[in-house]
Amino acid sequence: MIRIAMLGAGRIGQVHAANIARHPHAVLAAVADPLVENARQLTDAWGGHAFADPLEAINHPQVDAVVIGTPTHTHVELMLAAVRAGKAVLCEKPVDLDLEKAFAARDALGDDARRVMLGFNRRFDPGFSEIHRRIAEGEIGDFHQLLITSRDPDLAPYGYLQTSGGIFRDMVIHDLDLARWFLGEEPVEVFASGSRLFAPQLAALGDYDTVMVQLRTASGKQCQINCSRRAVYGYDQRLEVLGSAGMLLNDNLRETSVRHYNAQQTEARGPLLDFFMARYTEAYRLEIDAFISALRANQPMPVTVNDGCQALRLADAAQRSADTRSVVTLD
Ligand SMILES: NC(=O)c1ccc[n+]([C@@H]2O[C@H](COP(=O)([O-])OP(=O)(O)OC[C@H]3O[C@@H](n4cnc5c(N)ncnc54)[C@H](O)[C@@H]3O)[C@@H](O)[C@H]2O)c1
């Protein structure tokens, strides 16, 4: 059994703690949160010791690995502390909001980076991972274009947006990671367009509510990411890949597949699964499973700190491109 400490008992901490506790080869050994009542709620539900100080959980002798689900600015410090204590790490995205700090953390980890996984959960979504596998099996021939649609149901609270790092580093970073994973090579050109179509208050933050990003790799593969902070019909998460021999695409998920027909409408379906915790339930479960499986088999992590750094590099390039309304070229 792998004994895991959950750092941070907020939105994502609650999801991960439950998945750790339910895993057949892991136990939730500890939960740490300065709001110790939040930590205690999770240990009451799933077991383990509650701590206010994350370092106490990291250094606890009965902890083999930690999952970092704390606010982004604490990730690097906690990741380095855990690795120095000999613990394996699954760290939430993004590594940091500062690109130099993220790359410095990767370099400081050295060989220990192989014991750190980054939390890009969408790679574990059953639909996305099936498309990835079927492309690798040659089902659509040569890869030409990837289209990603990624829309939140509504604008996050202003307090969240103030510290989020902006739509590219906070939200599009998930899609940029998917893009790198699907394209199989690094983009060398980034062109992004950013608008404030419904949230003028974002001007004060230099942020946008609606963006499009285009990527191109050295061999000419293309990707377009459409992202909005608001889609009135719900959390819209779709992906489409065109190749020389066909196309693969996935639909949004709903609670059931029932469709309604009457005199006014046909094909009427229930609402989309609401937001990330419901839409990506299975992806989060499989992500924790991949982390535990890699540890038990002493295999390299399936998503690395370098993946986190490269996605952040693309997010920074997209921000620069949108701000300057020009194409950004990367080496
Ligand atoms: N992969 C995903 O889909 C996904 C989804 C949501 C959030 N996230 C990431 O997870 C992280 C947390 O986001 P959230 O939405 O859960 O935030 P949140 O505010 O809901 O929870 C954060 C928790 O961490 C606690 N905390 C603060 N400093 C701490 C410290 N030093 N040690 C331990 N706990 C500490 C807070 O008290 C709070 O309870 C962010 O980096 C975010 O980008 C990822």
Side-chain angles (χ1 to χ4, degrees), residues 28 30 33 37 60 74 91 108 111 150 152 179 183 187 208 210 233 246 259 274 284 290 293 297 299 309 320 331:
L28 185 67
D33 197 304
E37 267 316 305
H60 198 282
T74 65
C91 179
D111 288 345
S150 179
D152 276 1
L183 292 167
Y208 306 101
T210 306
Y233 54 88
R259 285 174 287 172
D274 182 44
Y284 291 123
S293 300
Q299 291 290 316
C309 293
R320 213 159 52 244
D331 304 328

mmCIF file with all atom_site columns, all heavy atoms in Angstrom, residues 28 30 33 37 60 74 91 108 111 150 152 179 183 187 208 210 233 246 259 274 284 290 293 297 299 309 320 331:
data_model
loop_
_atom_site.group_PDB
_atom_site.id
_atom_site.type_symbol
_atom_site.label_atom_id
_atom_site.label_alt_id
_atom_site.label_comp_id
_atom_site.label_asym_id
_atom_site.label_entity_id
_atom_site.label_seq_id
_atom_site.pdbx_PDB_ins_code
_atom_site.Cartn_x
_atom_site.Cartn_y
_atom_site.Cartn_z
_atom_site.occupancy
_atom_site.B_iso_or_equiv
_atom_site.pdbx_formal_charge
_atom_site.auth_seq_id
_atom_site.auth_comp_id
_atom_site.auth_asym_id
_atom_site.auth_atom_id
_atom_site.pdbx_PDB_model_num
ATOM 1   N N   . LEU A 1 28  ? -5.105  6.972  2.409   1.00 0.00 ? 28  LEU A N   1
ATOM 2   C CA  . LEU A 1 28  ? -4.957  8.397  2.691   1.00 0.00 ? 28  LEU A CA  1
ATOM 3   C C   . LEU A 1 28  ? -4.358  8.492  4.092   1.00 0.00 ? 28  LEU A C   1
ATOM 4   O O   . LEU A 1 28  ? -5.037  8.262  5.096   1.00 0.00 ? 28  LEU A O   1
ATOM 5   C CB  . LEU A 1 28  ? -6.324  9.098  2.625   1.00 0.00 ? 28  LEU A CB  1
ATOM 6   C CG  . LEU A 1 28  ? -6.285  10.611 2.789   1.00 0.00 ? 28  LEU A CG  1
ATOM 7   C CD1 . LEU A 1 28  ? -5.574  11.280 1.603   1.00 0.00 ? 28  LEU A CD1 1
ATOM 8   C CD2 . LEU A 1 28  ? -7.706  11.175 2.919   1.00 0.00 ? 28  LEU A CD2 1
ATOM 9   N N   . ALA A 1 30  ? -2.630  11.198 5.400   1.00 0.00 ? 30  ALA A N   1
ATOM 10  C CA  . ALA A 1 30  ? -2.700  12.522 6.031   1.00 0.00 ? 30  ALA A CA  1
ATOM 11  C C   . ALA A 1 30  ? -3.349  13.519 5.079   1.00 0.00 ? 30  ALA A C   1
ATOM 12  O O   . ALA A 1 30  ? -3.327  13.338 3.860   1.00 0.00 ? 30  ALA A O   1
ATOM 13  C CB  . ALA A 1 30  ? -1.291  13.007 6.389   1.00 0.00 ? 30  ALA A CB  1
ATOM 14  N N   . ASP A 1 33  ? -3.833  21.248 5.750   1.00 0.00 ? 33  ASP A N   1
ATOM 15  C CA  . ASP A 1 33  ? -4.408  22.511 5.277   1.00 0.00 ? 33  ASP A CA  1
ATOM 16  C C   . ASP A 1 33  ? -4.339  23.481 6.458   1.00 0.00 ? 33  ASP A C   1
ATOM 17  O O   . ASP A 1 33  ? -4.698  23.108 7.581   1.00 0.00 ? 33  ASP A O   1
ATOM 18  C CB  . ASP A 1 33  ? -5.879  22.302 4.839   1.00 0.00 ? 33  ASP A CB  1
ATOM 19  C CG  . ASP A 1 33  ? -6.395  23.442 3.977   1.00 0.00 ? 33  ASP A CG  1
ATOM 20  O OD1 . ASP A 1 33  ? -6.343  24.622 4.432   1.00 0.00 ? 33  ASP A OD1 1
ATOM 21  O OD2 . ASP A 1 33  ? -6.819  23.178 2.847   1.00 0.00 ? 33  ASP A OD2 1
ATOM 22  N N   . GLU A 1 37  ? -9.692  22.691 9.956   1.00 0.00 ? 37  GLU A N   1
ATOM 23  C CA  . GLU A 1 37  ? -11.048 22.121 9.975   1.00 0.00 ? 37  GLU A CA  1
ATOM 24  C C   . GLU A 1 37  ? -11.361 21.445 8.630   1.00 0.00 ? 37  GLU A C   1
ATOM 25  O O   . GLU A 1 37  ? -12.013 20.400 8.581   1.00 0.00 ? 37  GLU A O   1
ATOM 26  C CB  . GLU A 1 37  ? -12.088 23.211 10.269  1.00 0.00 ? 37  GLU A CB  1
ATOM 27  C CG  . GLU A 1 37  ? -12.426 23.347 11.740  1.00 0.00 ? 37  GLU A CG  1
ATOM 28  C CD  . GLU A 1 37  ? -12.621 21.985 12.415  1.00 0.00 ? 37  GLU A CD  1
ATOM 29  O OE1 . GLU A 1 37  ? -13.454 21.202 11.934  1.00 0.00 ? 37  GLU A OE1 1
ATOM 30  O OE2 . GLU A 1 37  ? -11.916 21.708 13.407  1.00 0.00 ? 37  GLU A OE2 1
ATOM 31  N N   . HIS A 1 60  ? 6.252   13.252 7.621   1.00 0.00 ? 60  HIS A N   1
ATOM 32  C CA  . HIS A 1 60  ? 5.745   12.168 8.471   1.00 0.00 ? 60  HIS A CA  1
ATOM 33  C C   . HIS A 1 60  ? 6.312   10.830 7.988   1.00 0.00 ? 60  HIS A C   1
ATOM 34  O O   . HIS A 1 60  ? 6.274   10.525 6.788   1.00 0.00 ? 60  HIS A O   1
ATOM 35  C CB  . HIS A 1 60  ? 4.212   12.151 8.427   1.00 0.00 ? 60  HIS A CB  1
ATOM 36  C CG  . HIS A 1 60  ? 3.621   11.380 9.565   1.00 0.00 ? 60  HIS A CG  1
ATOM 37  N ND1 . HIS A 1 60  ? 3.582   10.009 9.586   1.00 0.00 ? 60  HIS A ND1 1
ATOM 38  C CD2 . HIS A 1 60  ? 3.067   11.802 10.730  1.00 0.00 ? 60  HIS A CD2 1
ATOM 39  C CE1 . HIS A 1 60  ? 3.021   9.610  10.708  1.00 0.00 ? 60  HIS A CE1 1
ATOM 40  N NE2 . HIS A 1 60  ? 2.699   10.671 11.426  1.00 0.00 ? 60  HIS A NE2 1
ATOM 41  N N   . THR A 1 74  ? 2.287   28.063 -4.070  1.00 0.00 ? 74  THR A N   1
ATOM 42  C CA  . THR A 1 74  ? 2.980   27.211 -3.078  1.00 0.00 ? 74  THR A CA  1
ATOM 43  C C   . THR A 1 74  ? 3.536   25.926 -3.712  1.00 0.00 ? 74  THR A C   1
ATOM 44  O O   . THR A 1 74  ? 4.238   25.163 -3.032  1.00 0.00 ? 74  THR A O   1
ATOM 45  C CB  . THR A 1 74  ? 2.004   26.800 -1.944  1.00 0.00 ? 74  THR A CB  1
ATOM 46  O OG1 . THR A 1 74  ? 0.976   25.957 -2.513  1.00 0.00 ? 74  THR A OG1 1
ATOM 47  C CG2 . THR A 1 74  ? 1.351   27.999 -1.289  1.00 0.00 ? 74  THR A CG2 1
ATOM 48  N N   . CYS A 1 91  ? 1.711   16.752 -8.455  1.00 0.00 ? 91  CYS A N   1
ATOM 49  C CA  . CYS A 1 91  ? 1.481   18.177 -8.226  1.00 0.00 ? 91  CYS A CA  1
ATOM 50  C C   . CYS A 1 91  ? 0.449   18.711 -9.214  1.00 0.00 ? 91  CYS A C   1
ATOM 51  O O   . CYS A 1 91  ? 0.548   18.464 -10.418 1.00 0.00 ? 91  CYS A O   1
ATOM 52  C CB  . CYS A 1 91  ? 2.795   18.944 -8.393  1.00 0.00 ? 91  CYS A CB  1
ATOM 53  S SG  . CYS A 1 91  ? 2.598   20.719 -8.148  1.00 0.00 ? 91  CYS A SG  1
ATOM 54  N N   . ALA A 1 108 ? 16.261  22.099 -10.640 1.00 0.00 ? 108 ALA A N   1
ATOM 55  C CA  . ALA A 1 108 ? 16.678  21.768 -9.262  1.00 0.00 ? 108 ALA A CA  1
ATOM 56  C C   . ALA A 1 108 ? 16.328  20.317 -8.931  1.00 0.00 ? 108 ALA A C   1
ATOM 57  O O   . ALA A 1 108 ? 17.040  19.666 -8.149  1.00 0.00 ? 108 ALA A O   1
ATOM 58  C CB  . ALA A 1 108 ? 16.000  22.712 -8.274  1.00 0.00 ? 108 ALA A CB  1
ATOM 59  N N   . ASP A 1 111 ? 17.560  14.412 -11.418 1.00 0.00 ? 111 ASP A N   1
ATOM 60  C CA  . ASP A 1 111 ? 17.063  13.054 -11.653 1.00 0.00 ? 111 ASP A CA  1
ATOM 61  C C   . ASP A 1 111 ? 15.799  12.743 -10.856 1.00 0.00 ? 111 ASP A C   1
ATOM 62  O O   . ASP A 1 111 ? 15.024  11.853 -11.229 1.00 0.00 ? 111 ASP A O   1
ATOM 63  C CB  . ASP A 1 111 ? 18.137  12.015 -11.292 1.00 0.00 ? 111 ASP A CB  1
ATOM 64  C CG  . ASP A 1 111 ? 19.263  12.022 -12.310 1.00 0.00 ? 111 ASP A CG  1
ATOM 65  O OD1 . ASP A 1 111 ? 19.056  12.611 -13.400 1.00 0.00 ? 111 ASP A OD1 1
ATOM 66  O OD2 . ASP A 1 111 ? 20.328  11.459 -11.997 1.00 0.00 ? 111 ASP A OD2 1
ATOM 67  N N   . SER A 1 150 ? -13.029 24.428 -25.510 1.00 0.00 ? 150 SER A N   1
ATOM 68  C CA  . SER A 1 150 ? -12.899 24.367 -24.055 1.00 0.00 ? 150 SER A CA  1
ATOM 69  C C   . SER A 1 150 ? -13.571 25.603 -23.462 1.00 0.00 ? 150 SER A C   1
ATOM 70  O O   . SER A 1 150 ? -13.009 26.697 -23.494 1.00 0.00 ? 150 SER A O   1
ATOM 71  C CB  . SER A 1 150 ? -11.398 24.344 -23.720 1.00 0.00 ? 150 SER A CB  1
ATOM 72  O OG  . SER A 1 150 ? -11.196 24.305 -22.341 1.00 0.00 ? 150 SER A OG  1
ATOM 73  N N   . ASP A 1 152 ? -15.893 27.240 -20.221 1.00 0.00 ? 152 ASP A N   1
ATOM 74  C CA  . ASP A 1 152 ? -16.466 27.138 -18.877 1.00 0.00 ? 152 ASP A CA  1
ATOM 75  C C   . ASP A 1 152 ? -17.934 27.553 -18.912 1.00 0.00 ? 152 ASP A C   1
ATOM 76  O O   . ASP A 1 152 ? -18.323 28.340 -19.781 1.00 0.00 ? 152 ASP A O   1
ATOM 77  C CB  . ASP A 1 152 ? -15.718 28.072 -17.914 1.00 0.00 ? 152 ASP A CB  1
ATOM 78  C CG  . ASP A 1 152 ? -14.453 27.426 -17.352 1.00 0.00 ? 152 ASP A CG  1
ATOM 79  O OD1 . ASP A 1 152 ? -14.149 26.281 -17.721 1.00 0.00 ? 152 ASP A OD1 1
ATOM 80  O OD2 . ASP A 1 152 ? -13.781 28.088 -16.539 1.00 0.00 ? 152 ASP A OD2 1
ATOM 81  N N   . ALA A 1 179 ? -2.712  19.692 -26.468 1.00 0.00 ? 179 ALA A N   1
ATOM 82  C CA  . ALA A 1 179 ? -2.187  19.957 -27.822 1.00 0.00 ? 179 ALA A CA  1
ATOM 83  C C   . ALA A 1 179 ? -0.800  19.337 -27.965 1.00 0.00 ? 179 ALA A C   1
ATOM 84  O O   . ALA A 1 179 ? -0.524  18.640 -28.955 1.00 0.00 ? 179 ALA A O   1
ATOM 85  C CB  . ALA A 1 179 ? -2.140  21.459 -28.076 1.00 0.00 ? 179 ALA A CB  1
ATOM 86  N N   . LEU A 1 183 ? -0.157  16.501 -30.658 1.00 0.00 ? 183 LEU A N   1
ATOM 87  C CA  . LEU A 1 183 ? 0.688   16.859 -31.806 1.00 0.00 ? 183 LEU A CA  1
ATOM 88  C C   . LEU A 1 183 ? 1.952   16.003 -31.837 1.00 0.00 ? 183 LEU A C   1
ATOM 89  O O   . LEU A 1 183 ? 2.491   15.710 -32.902 1.00 0.00 ? 183 LEU A O   1
ATOM 90  C CB  . LEU A 1 183 ? 1.076   18.347 -31.752 1.00 0.00 ? 183 LEU A CB  1
ATOM 91  C CG  . LEU A 1 183 ? -0.076  19.340 -31.970 1.00 0.00 ? 183 LEU A CG  1
ATOM 92  C CD1 . LEU A 1 183 ? 0.345   20.749 -31.576 1.00 0.00 ? 183 LEU A CD1 1
ATOM 93  C CD2 . LEU A 1 183 ? -0.552  19.321 -33.422 1.00 0.00 ? 183 LEU A CD2 1
ATOM 94  N N   . PRO A 1 187 ? 5.114   22.911 -30.630 1.00 0.00 ? 187 PRO A N   1
ATOM 95  C CA  . PRO A 1 187 ? 4.738   24.002 -31.532 1.00 0.00 ? 187 PRO A CA  1
ATOM 96  C C   . PRO A 1 187 ? 5.885   25.016 -31.646 1.00 0.00 ? 187 PRO A C   1
ATOM 97  O O   . PRO A 1 187 ? 6.583   25.292 -30.679 1.00 0.00 ? 187 PRO A O   1
ATOM 98  C CB  . PRO A 1 187 ? 3.536   24.636 -30.829 1.00 0.00 ? 187 PRO A CB  1
ATOM 99  C CG  . PRO A 1 187 ? 3.003   23.553 -29.951 1.00 0.00 ? 187 PRO A CG  1
ATOM 100 C CD  . PRO A 1 187 ? 4.193   22.777 -29.498 1.00 0.00 ? 187 PRO A CD  1
ATOM 101 N N   . TYR A 1 208 ? -8.479  38.333 -20.564 1.00 0.00 ? 208 TYR A N   1
ATOM 102 C CA  . TYR A 1 208 ? -9.527  38.247 -21.588 1.00 0.00 ? 208 TYR A CA  1
ATOM 103 C C   . TYR A 1 208 ? -10.587 37.241 -21.141 1.00 0.00 ? 208 TYR A C   1
ATOM 104 O O   . TYR A 1 208 ? -10.306 36.346 -20.340 1.00 0.00 ? 208 TYR A O   1
ATOM 105 C CB  . TYR A 1 208 ? -8.933  37.760 -22.915 1.00 0.00 ? 208 TYR A CB  1
ATOM 106 C CG  . TYR A 1 208 ? -7.753  38.583 -23.381 1.00 0.00 ? 208 TYR A CG  1
ATOM 107 C CD1 . TYR A 1 208 ? -6.451  38.114 -23.203 1.00 0.00 ? 208 TYR A CD1 1
ATOM 108 C CD2 . TYR A 1 208 ? -7.935  39.819 -23.995 1.00 0.00 ? 208 TYR A CD2 1
ATOM 109 C CE1 . TYR A 1 208 ? -5.364  38.865 -23.618 1.00 0.00 ? 208 TYR A CE1 1
ATOM 110 C CE2 . TYR A 1 208 ? -6.858  40.576 -24.420 1.00 0.00 ? 208 TYR A CE2 1
ATOM 111 C CZ  . TYR A 1 208 ? -5.566  40.099 -24.227 1.00 0.00 ? 208 TYR A CZ  1
ATOM 112 O OH  . TYR A 1 208 ? -4.498  40.839 -24.631 1.00 0.00 ? 208 TYR A OH  1
ATOM 113 N N   . THR A 1 210 ? -12.514 35.689 -23.750 1.00 0.00 ? 210 THR A N   1
ATOM 114 C CA  . THR A 1 210 ? -12.743 34.855 -24.929 1.00 0.00 ? 210 THR A CA  1
ATOM 115 C C   . THR A 1 210 ? -11.454 34.823 -25.743 1.00 0.00 ? 210 THR A C   1
ATOM 116 O O   . THR A 1 210 ? -10.956 35.890 -26.123 1.00 0.00 ? 210 THR A O   1
ATOM 117 C CB  . THR A 1 210 ? -13.873 35.487 -25.785 1.00 0.00 ? 210 THR A CB  1
ATOM 118 O OG1 . THR A 1 210 ? -15.020 35.687 -24.938 1.00 0.00 ? 210 THR A OG1 1
ATOM 119 C CG2 . THR A 1 210 ? -14.252 34.596 -26.947 1.00 0.00 ? 210 THR A CG2 1
ATOM 120 N N   . TYR A 1 233 ? -24.840 27.332 -22.226 1.00 0.00 ? 233 TYR A N   1
ATOM 121 C CA  . TYR A 1 233 ? -25.426 25.986 -22.261 1.00 0.00 ? 233 TYR A CA  1
ATOM 122 C C   . TYR A 1 233 ? -24.617 24.987 -21.439 1.00 0.00 ? 233 TYR A C   1
ATOM 123 O O   . TYR A 1 233 ? -24.994 23.823 -21.345 1.00 0.00 ? 233 TYR A O   1
ATOM 124 C CB  . TYR A 1 233 ? -25.552 25.506 -23.713 1.00 0.00 ? 233 TYR A CB  1
ATOM 125 C CG  . TYR A 1 233 ? -24.234 25.584 -24.452 1.00 0.00 ? 233 TYR A CG  1
ATOM 126 C CD1 . TYR A 1 233 ? -23.337 24.522 -24.415 1.00 0.00 ? 233 TYR A CD1 1
ATOM 127 C CD2 . TYR A 1 233 ? -23.884 26.734 -25.151 1.00 0.00 ? 233 TYR A CD2 1
ATOM 128 C CE1 . TYR A 1 233 ? -22.126 24.604 -25.060 1.00 0.00 ? 233 TYR A CE1 1
ATOM 129 C CE2 . TYR A 1 233 ? -22.662 26.819 -25.798 1.00 0.00 ? 233 TYR A CE2 1
ATOM 130 C CZ  . TYR A 1 233 ? -21.794 25.754 -25.746 1.00 0.00 ? 233 TYR A CZ  1
ATOM 131 O OH  . TYR A 1 233 ? -20.573 25.841 -26.366 1.00 0.00 ? 233 TYR A OH  1
ATOM 132 N N   . GLY A 1 246 ? -9.014  10.129 -42.257 1.00 0.00 ? 246 GLY A N   1
ATOM 133 C CA  . GLY A 1 246 ? -10.276 10.246 -41.527 1.00 0.00 ? 246 GLY A CA  1
ATOM 134 C C   . GLY A 1 246 ? -10.189 11.200 -40.353 1.00 0.00 ? 246 GLY A C   1
ATOM 135 O O   . GLY A 1 246 ? -9.248  11.996 -40.234 1.00 0.00 ? 246 GLY A O   1
ATOM 136 N N   . ARG A 1 259 ? -32.845 10.986 -25.507 1.00 0.00 ? 259 ARG A N   1
ATOM 137 C CA  . ARG A 1 259 ? -33.197 12.122 -26.366 1.00 0.00 ? 259 ARG A CA  1
ATOM 138 C C   . ARG A 1 259 ? -34.710 12.230 -26.477 1.00 0.00 ? 259 ARG A C   1
ATOM 139 O O   . ARG A 1 259 ? -35.401 11.222 -26.484 1.00 0.00 ? 259 ARG A O   1
ATOM 140 C CB  . ARG A 1 259 ? -32.584 11.948 -27.759 1.00 0.00 ? 259 ARG A CB  1
ATOM 141 C CG  . ARG A 1 259 ? -31.101 12.228 -27.761 1.00 0.00 ? 259 ARG A CG  1
ATOM 142 C CD  . ARG A 1 259 ? -30.488 11.909 -29.079 1.00 0.00 ? 259 ARG A CD  1
ATOM 143 N NE  . ARG A 1 259 ? -30.393 10.473 -29.283 1.00 0.00 ? 259 ARG A NE  1
ATOM 144 C CZ  . ARG A 1 259 ? -30.028 9.901  -30.429 1.00 0.00 ? 259 ARG A CZ  1
ATOM 145 N NH1 . ARG A 1 259 ? -29.731 10.640 -31.455 1.00 0.00 ? 259 ARG A NH1 1
ATOM 146 N NH2 . ARG A 1 259 ? -29.958 8.598  -30.533 1.00 0.00 ? 259 ARG A NH2 1
ATOM 147 N N   . ASP A 1 274 ? -22.000 19.209 -15.418 1.00 0.00 ? 274 ASP A N   1
ATOM 148 C CA  . ASP A 1 274 ? -21.682 20.544 -14.952 1.00 0.00 ? 274 ASP A CA  1
ATOM 149 C C   . ASP A 1 274 ? -20.254 20.640 -14.413 1.00 0.00 ? 274 ASP A C   1
ATOM 150 O O   . ASP A 1 274 ? -19.926 20.079 -13.386 1.00 0.00 ? 274 ASP A O   1
ATOM 151 C CB  . ASP A 1 274 ? -22.685 20.930 -13.853 1.00 0.00 ? 274 ASP A CB  1
ATOM 152 C CG  . ASP A 1 274 ? -22.436 22.327 -13.369 1.00 0.00 ? 274 ASP A CG  1
ATOM 153 O OD1 . ASP A 1 274 ? -22.217 23.193 -14.229 1.00 0.00 ? 274 ASP A OD1 1
ATOM 154 O OD2 . ASP A 1 274 ? -22.440 22.543 -12.150 1.00 0.00 ? 274 ASP A OD2 1
ATOM 155 N N   . TYR A 1 284 ? -9.973  12.120 -13.180 1.00 0.00 ? 284 TYR A N   1
ATOM 156 C CA  . TYR A 1 284 ? -9.264  12.305 -11.903 1.00 0.00 ? 284 TYR A CA  1
ATOM 157 C C   . TYR A 1 284 ? -8.967  10.957 -11.256 1.00 0.00 ? 284 TYR A C   1
ATOM 158 O O   . TYR A 1 284 ? -7.905  10.746 -10.684 1.00 0.00 ? 284 TYR A O   1
ATOM 159 C CB  . TYR A 1 284 ? -10.084 13.175 -10.940 1.00 0.00 ? 284 TYR A CB  1
ATOM 160 C CG  . TYR A 1 284 ? -10.202 14.624 -11.356 1.00 0.00 ? 284 TYR A CG  1
ATOM 161 C CD1 . TYR A 1 284 ? -11.453 15.209 -11.530 1.00 0.00 ? 284 TYR A CD1 1
ATOM 162 C CD2 . TYR A 1 284 ? -9.079  15.413 -11.558 1.00 0.00 ? 284 TYR A CD2 1
ATOM 163 C CE1 . TYR A 1 284 ? -11.579 16.533 -11.909 1.00 0.00 ? 284 TYR A CE1 1
ATOM 164 C CE2 . TYR A 1 284 ? -9.189  16.741 -11.939 1.00 0.00 ? 284 TYR A CE2 1
ATOM 165 C CZ  . TYR A 1 284 ? -10.446 17.296 -12.115 1.00 0.00 ? 284 TYR A CZ  1
ATOM 166 O OH  . TYR A 1 284 ? -10.564 18.603 -12.493 1.00 0.00 ? 284 TYR A OH  1
ATOM 167 N N   . ALA A 1 290 ? -2.894  6.214  -12.247 1.00 0.00 ? 290 ALA A N   1
ATOM 168 C CA  . ALA A 1 290 ? -1.641  6.217  -13.026 1.00 0.00 ? 290 ALA A CA  1
ATOM 169 C C   . ALA A 1 290 ? -0.457  6.564  -12.126 1.00 0.00 ? 290 ALA A C   1
ATOM 170 O O   . ALA A 1 290 ? 0.637   5.990  -12.257 1.00 0.00 ? 290 ALA A O   1
ATOM 171 C CB  . ALA A 1 290 ? -1.748  7.218  -14.175 1.00 0.00 ? 290 ALA A CB  1
ATOM 172 N N   . SER A 1 293 ? 0.172   3.527  -9.863  1.00 0.00 ? 293 SER A N   1
ATOM 173 C CA  . SER A 1 293 ? 0.703   2.414  -10.666 1.00 0.00 ? 293 SER A CA  1
ATOM 174 C C   . SER A 1 293 ? 2.169   2.663  -11.022 1.00 0.00 ? 293 SER A C   1
ATOM 175 O O   . SER A 1 293 ? 2.990   1.737  -10.971 1.00 0.00 ? 293 SER A O   1
ATOM 176 C CB  . SER A 1 293 ? -0.109  2.229  -11.942 1.00 0.00 ? 293 SER A CB  1
ATOM 177 O OG  . SER A 1 293 ? -1.425  1.944  -11.611 1.00 0.00 ? 293 SER A OG  1
ATOM 178 N N   . ALA A 1 297 ? 5.236   0.223  -9.742  1.00 0.00 ? 297 ALA A N   1
ATOM 179 C CA  . ALA A 1 297 ? 6.035   -0.486 -10.750 1.00 0.00 ? 297 ALA A CA  1
ATOM 180 C C   . ALA A 1 297 ? 7.416   0.148  -10.925 1.00 0.00 ? 297 ALA A C   1
ATOM 181 O O   . ALA A 1 297 ? 8.199   -0.288 -11.763 1.00 0.00 ? 297 ALA A O   1
ATOM 182 C CB  . ALA A 1 297 ? 5.286   -0.480 -12.079 1.00 0.00 ? 297 ALA A CB  1
ATOM 183 N N   . GLN A 1 299 ? 8.113   2.890  -12.330 1.00 0.00 ? 299 GLN A N   1
ATOM 184 C CA  . GLN A 1 299 ? 8.166   3.372  -13.713 1.00 0.00 ? 299 GLN A CA  1
ATOM 185 C C   . GLN A 1 299 ? 8.189   4.905  -13.724 1.00 0.00 ? 299 GLN A C   1
ATOM 186 O O   . GLN A 1 299 ? 7.725   5.530  -12.771 1.00 0.00 ? 299 GLN A O   1
ATOM 187 C CB  . GLN A 1 299 ? 6.903   2.915  -14.465 1.00 0.00 ? 299 GLN A CB  1
ATOM 188 C CG  . GLN A 1 299 ? 6.838   1.429  -14.721 1.00 0.00 ? 299 GLN A CG  1
ATOM 189 C CD  . GLN A 1 299 ? 7.859   0.985  -15.759 1.00 0.00 ? 299 GLN A CD  1
ATOM 190 O OE1 . GLN A 1 299 ? 8.017   1.630  -16.782 1.00 0.00 ? 299 GLN A OE1 1
ATOM 191 N NE2 . GLN A 1 299 ? 8.575   -0.091 -15.466 1.00 0.00 ? 299 GLN A NE2 1
ATOM 192 N N   . CYS A 1 309 ? 6.206   22.664 -17.515 1.00 0.00 ? 309 CYS A N   1
ATOM 193 C CA  . CYS A 1 309 ? 6.979   23.849 -17.924 1.00 0.00 ? 309 CYS A CA  1
ATOM 194 C C   . CYS A 1 309 ? 6.691   24.197 -19.385 1.00 0.00 ? 309 CYS A C   1
ATOM 195 O O   . CYS A 1 309 ? 6.533   25.372 -19.735 1.00 0.00 ? 309 CYS A O   1
ATOM 196 C CB  . CYS A 1 309 ? 8.475   23.583 -17.752 1.00 0.00 ? 309 CYS A CB  1
ATOM 197 S SG  . CYS A 1 309 ? 8.972   23.411 -16.028 1.00 0.00 ? 309 CYS A SG  1
ATOM 198 N N   . ARG A 1 320 ? 1.477   36.684 -24.806 1.00 0.00 ? 320 ARG A N   1
ATOM 199 C CA  . ARG A 1 320 ? 2.280   37.701 -25.513 1.00 0.00 ? 320 ARG A CA  1
ATOM 200 C C   . ARG A 1 320 ? 1.682   37.968 -26.899 1.00 0.00 ? 320 ARG A C   1
ATOM 201 O O   . ARG A 1 320 ? 1.566   39.097 -27.333 1.00 0.00 ? 320 ARG A O   1
ATOM 202 C CB  . ARG A 1 320 ? 3.719   37.173 -25.635 1.00 0.00 ? 320 ARG A CB  1
ATOM 203 C CG  . ARG A 1 320 ? 4.760   38.242 -25.588 1.00 0.00 ? 320 ARG A CG  1
ATOM 204 C CD  . ARG A 1 320 ? 6.146   37.765 -25.205 1.00 0.00 ? 320 ARG A CD  1
ATOM 205 N NE  . ARG A 1 320 ? 6.680   36.650 -25.954 1.00 0.00 ? 320 ARG A NE  1
ATOM 206 C CZ  . ARG A 1 320 ? 6.965   35.462 -25.445 1.00 0.00 ? 320 ARG A CZ  1
ATOM 207 N NH1 . ARG A 1 320 ? 6.738   35.227 -24.166 1.00 0.00 ? 320 ARG A NH1 1
ATOM 208 N NH2 . ARG A 1 320 ? 7.481   34.508 -26.186 1.00 0.00 ? 320 ARG A NH2 1
ATOM 209 N N   . ASP A 1 331 ? 11.679  28.599 -30.343 1.00 0.00 ? 331 ASP A N   1
ATOM 210 C CA  . ASP A 1 331 ? 12.781  27.750 -30.866 1.00 0.00 ? 331 ASP A CA  1
ATOM 211 C C   . ASP A 1 331 ? 12.362  26.278 -30.786 1.00 0.00 ? 331 ASP A C   1
ATOM 212 O O   . ASP A 1 331 ? 11.770  25.858 -29.815 1.00 0.00 ? 331 ASP A O   1
ATOM 213 C CB  . ASP A 1 331 ? 14.038  27.904 -30.008 1.00 0.00 ? 331 ASP A CB  1
ATOM 214 C CG  . ASP A 1 331 ? 14.451  29.352 -29.931 1.00 0.00 ? 331 ASP A CG  1
ATOM 215 O OD1 . ASP A 1 331 ? 14.216  30.058 -30.916 1.00 0.00 ? 331 ASP A OD1 1
ATOM 216 O OD2 . ASP A 1 331 ? 14.991  29.736 -28.878 1.00 0.00 ? 331 ASP A OD2 1
#
